Amino acid sequence: MAKVAIFASGSGTNAEAIMRAAQSNVLDAEVALIVTDKPKAKVIERAHAFDVPCFIADPKTYETKACFEQAIIDELGKREVTFVVLAGYMRLVGPTLLSAYEGRIVNIHPSLLPSFPGLDAIGQAFKAKVKVTGVTIHYVDAGMDTGEIIAQEPVRINEDDTVDSLQKKVQEVEHKLYPETIQTIIDRTKEVSN
Ligand code: GAR
């Protein structure tokens, strides 16, 4: 079974959706580790609730970004993690981690990339008054929210939407699309190795 690590910096609702899918066998993978760069992130509680171990790596306590990422890689190695899922991990992945997990790191972003990359993508779309935004899942490269797109799903912005209602709609899509897409990638990887 694929062993997945989820990286998150905040609330962790996507991490929870993935842990729930794995626990109920909707997703044929084991969430072997949650990694967070924020010692007070709510995702830590969510990991405990699902009995998933959590590695808290505070970048301030490492001399360099390479040391920080190497500490994470060591932890991933101990748990035999083969696949990394970024879910609200608000940090650029550096060359150390990218080369260790080349082609095996995916990210979710709350817009139809390449529109509205970076912070507050939902607020950006709302302010731009676009009629449609959405969710993108993509492979991670050295850029910010760049990398080959794997899946996208649109979300309509209605006249009566607020930033909060839009966020709710976007997150509902994320919680369904992310576990489904992870399963698709795992299945594809199995086909290639058979
Ligand atoms: C999600 O909406 C995710 O798409 C976004 O952060 C949120 C995390 O929510 N990621 C980015 O903006 C990445 N550039 P969560 O902690 O509740 O899963």
Side-chain angles (χ1 to χ4, degrees), residues 10-15 87-90 107-110 118 122 145 171 174:
S11 174
T13 63
N14 278 284
Y89 180 67
M90 299 314 226
N107 180 43
I108 191 161
H109 185 75
I122 295 173
D145 301 319
Q171 289 222 314
E174 290 191 329

Side-chain angles (χ1 to χ4, degrees), residues 2-3 16 25-26 59 63 67 79 93 96 99 102 110 119 150 165-166 177 190:
K3 289 197 179 192
E16 178 165 335
N25 296 322
V26 171
E63 247 174 51
C67 294
R79 313 256 176 201
V93 176
T96 310
S99 61
E102 203 186 340
L119 290 177
I150 306 163
S165 67
L166 179 58
L177 188 65
K190 270 192 214 149

Side-chain angles (χ1 to χ4, degrees), residues 124-151:
Q124 290 186 56
F126 192 79
K127 265 197 223 126
K129 296 190 178 355
V130 292
K131 301 289 179 206
V132 181
T133 185
V135 174
T136 301
I137 295 165
H138 63 93
Y139 285 108
V140 172
D141 63 15
M144 160 102 71
D145 301 319
T146 52
E148 186 192 333
I149 291 172
I150 306 163

Side-chain angles (χ1 to χ4, degrees), residues 67-182:
C67 294
F68 163 71
E69 290 196 336
Q70 190 55 53
I72 295 176
I73 292 165
D74 292 348
E75 208 58 37
L76 298 177
K78 277 186 219 159
R79 313 256 176 201
E80 299 175 327
V81 166
T82 51
F83 194 70
V84 171
V85 171
L86 310 186
Y89 180 67
M90 299 314 226
R91 191 169 288 281
L92 273 183
V93 176
T96 310
L97 189 53
L98 272 178
S99 61
Y101 279 84
E102 203 186 340
R104 294 184 292 152
I105 310 178
V106 294
N107 180 43
I108 191 161
H109 185 75
S111 76
L112 293 177
L113 290 171
S115 293
F116 311 123
L119 290 177
D120 191 22
I122 295 173
Q124 290 186 56
F126 192 79
K127 265 197 223 126
K129 296 190 178 355
V130 292
K131 301 289 179 206
V132 181
T133 185
V135 174
T136 301
I137 295 165
H138 63 93
Y139 285 108
V140 172
D141 63 15
M144 160 102 71
D145 301 319
T146 52
E148 186 192 333
I149 291 172
I150 306 163
Q152 287 187 306
E153 197 166 311
V155 173
R156 284 201 64 80
I157 305 180
N158 300 324
E159 292 288 319
D160 59 350
D161 266 320
T162 59
V163 174
D164 285 350
S165 67
L166 179 58
Q167 172 157 357
K168 199 160 169 266
K169 290 198 291 190
V170 166
Q171 289 222 314
E172 263 170 37
V173 170
E174 290 191 329
H175 297 163
K176 194 167 168 289
L177 188 65
Y178 216 2
E180 280 173 9
T181 306
I182 294 165

